[in-house]
Amino acid sequence: MAVADEHYHNDNKELQPLLVFGPPLIFQVFESRNSHKYLFLKAFSSQLPLPQFLTTQNVDPSSIRTILCNQLQPITANVIRLLPSLALIVTTTVGNDHIDLPECNQRGVQVVNVGGQTTEDVADMAVGLLIDVLYRISAADRYVRKWVPSKPWSLPRGSKLGGKGVGIVGFGRIGGEVAKRLEAFDCRIMYHSRKRKPFVSYPFYSNILELASNSDVLVLCCSLTEETKHMINREVMLALGKEGVIVNVGRGALIDENELVQCLVIGEIRGAGLDVFENEPKVPKELITLDNVVLSPHAAVLTSDYFTDTCEFVEESLSKSLLF
Ligand SMILES: O=CC(=O)O
């Protein structure tokens, strides 16, 4: 467990403690830009739980008024209750499912989400994963690298994107950008969301099973809630069918991952492009060996622009919060 010693030991009483949960890269970039204002405390997921961390570092929990986080470390009711002065949580993500929002409401803790600038990157990633699964780009790359010169080339066939029926699950900003991109490939777009969108002309399916039966591809762009958890279950995958492809750029738990693995292994669906997993950073071992799956480590937004932009948004939110 590392603490940014040069700041932690700074005697300047004006420095404000900022607890950073989860995002080491954001932390590094942000720290290098703002070290004059904040006393940084770091805690990463899968390391010490918060109470031990605070004790080890001799930090008074009541001195912490702000948390900077991403989806890697759940900000549970217990974490919130441990920090009596907590007033602000800034998350660098679009999704808020790692934060106990009812507890924040009750305690009057403000939650600021600075992930909105990543919409286009996530949509690009969704289309990239889909093209990769259909045209087998990653599989072909592995094949060429292992190819033995004495053998002729031979690869399983891909499947074209043009004309495919694409069911977009969650038609917010990301879903809209995915639709815009896939229209250019002559895909037939349709969607499912909580409610029909009055200004969207694509066919709306209130029932996810019906959407799956009418689609060749499902692209998951919705947030994770109690209602959407495991919405893509075995029945939905069977309705999508043996030629069906699933792309997930939302959250891993939107899909029942055990069932997904089974369906991929026995060929109940054609393939999947996954940027997110149910128990990150764990990836089911069966997926590693499958050639009909393209895997990405929750990396849709990880461009250099993202770090620069996000740090600016974080700084703006912290400054506006009146805490500093
Ligand atoms: O997953 C990333 C995000 O929610 O921004």
Side-chain angles (χ1 to χ4, degrees):
M1 180 74 55
V3 167
D5 287 334
E6 70 271 36
H7 306 306
Y8 188 70
H9 295 301
N10 192 320
D11 284 336
N12 182 348
K13 296 288 184 291
E14 298 305 309
L15 287 180
Q16 297 291 331
L18 176 62
L19 184 60
V20 183
F21 260 142
L25 286 169
I26 286 286
F27 172 82
Q28 282 155 14
V29 180
F30 189 66
E31 182 191 32
S32 69
R33 293 164 55 107
N34 300 279
S35 51
H36 57 292
K37 273 192 194 158
Y38 309 108
L39 180 155
F40 288 94
L41 310 170
K42 278 201 263 195
F44 298 137
S45 51
S46 76
Q47 294 193 1
L48 285 183
L50 185 62
Q52 282 95 316
F53 170 70
L54 294 174
T55 315
T56 325
Q57 305 301 334
N58 199 19
V59 173
D60 172 6
S62 66
S63 67
I64 294 175
R65 301 169 73 186
T66 309
I67 294 178
L68 173 61
C69 65
N70 70 358
Q71 77 289 346
L72 292 177
Q73 177 84 14
I75 311 293
T76 58
N78 280 343
V79 168
I80 295 167
R81 285 178 201 143
L82 279 169
L83 304 172
S85 310
L86 185 66
L88 176 68
I89 299 173
V90 179
T91 177
T92 58
T93 53
V94 176
N96 280 340
D97 49 284
H98 53 296
I99 302 174
D100 190 320
L101 296 176
E103 183 68 21
C104 289
N105 275 342
Q106 202 178 318
R107 266 276 308 277
V109 174
Q110 195 192 352
V111 177
V112 177
N113 168 315
V114 295
Q117 79 280 9
T118 59
T119 304
E120 291 174 355
D121 297 320
V122 180
D124 289 347
M125 180 62 127
V127 175
L129 286 171
L130 177 56
I131 291 178
D132 194 335
V133 175
L134 291 175
Y135 292 91
R136 307 177 52 85
I137 299 172
S138 295
D141 177 88
R142 287 191 291 275
Y143 173 82
V144 170
R145 287 170 199 268
K146 285 197 212 136
W147 174 68
V148 181
S150 58
K151 291 199 175 160
W153 278 352
S154 111
L155 254 186
R157 290 187 192 151
S159 173
K160 65 190 271 152
L161 174 57
K164 289 262 185 307
V166 179
I168 299 181
V169 180
F171 210 87
R173 284 189 299 171
I174 295 173
E177 289 296 322
V178 170
K180 191 163 102 185
R181 284 156 177 70
L182 290 179
E183 264 204 44
F185 289 89
D186 286 333
C187 292
R188 261 183 317 112
I189 312 289
M190 52 215 125
Y191 74 103
H192 165 84
S193 63
R194 260 171 308 172
K195 288 192 200 139
R196 183 191 294 273
K197 307 266 168 183
F199 300 108
V200 173
S201 56
Y202 304 121
F204 167 68
Y205 288 83
S206 58
N207 183 310
I208 187 79
L209 265 179
E210 276 174 34
L211 179 78
S213 318
N214 285 287
S215 302
D216 304 301
V217 174
L218 290 179
V219 180
L220 312 185
C221 309
C222 60
S223 47
L224 178 63
T225 61
E226 274 170 28
E227 291 75 44
T228 61
K229 182 167 181 195
H230 287 187
M231 74 191 298
I232 309 300
N233 55 24
R234 183 173 168 76
E235 209 185 343
V236 173
M237 290 184 248
L238 296 185
L240 184 63
K242 289 191 187 301
E243 288 305 311
V245 169
I246 297 178
V247 169
N248 191 1
V249 288
R251 285 289 181 266
L254 295 172
I255 310 180
D256 183 331
E257 200 169 70
N258 289 330
E259 293 294 353
L260 173 70
V261 168
Q262 289 313 311
C263 285
L264 286 164
V265 169
I266 62 178
E268 294 290 6
I269 60 171
R270 181 185 183 94
L274 307 171
D275 186 46
V276 285
F277 303 89
E278 193 160 353
N279 298 303
E280 291 176 12
K282 288 192 194 130
V283 175
K285 62 178 184 325
E286 296 88 338
L287 293 183
I288 306 287
T289 56
L290 290 177
D291 246 359
N292 54 346
V293 182
V294 179
L295 306 169
S296 161
H298 206 138
V301 303
L302 300 185
T303 61
S304 355
D305 294 343
Y306 164 76
F307 287 107
T308 322
D309 293 351
T310 300
C311 285
E312 265 162 34
F313 282 107
V314 168
E315 171 67 4
E316 207 178 304
S317 306
L318 292 177
S319 312
K320 276 192 194 152
S321 74
L322 303 179
L323 289 170
F324 298 103

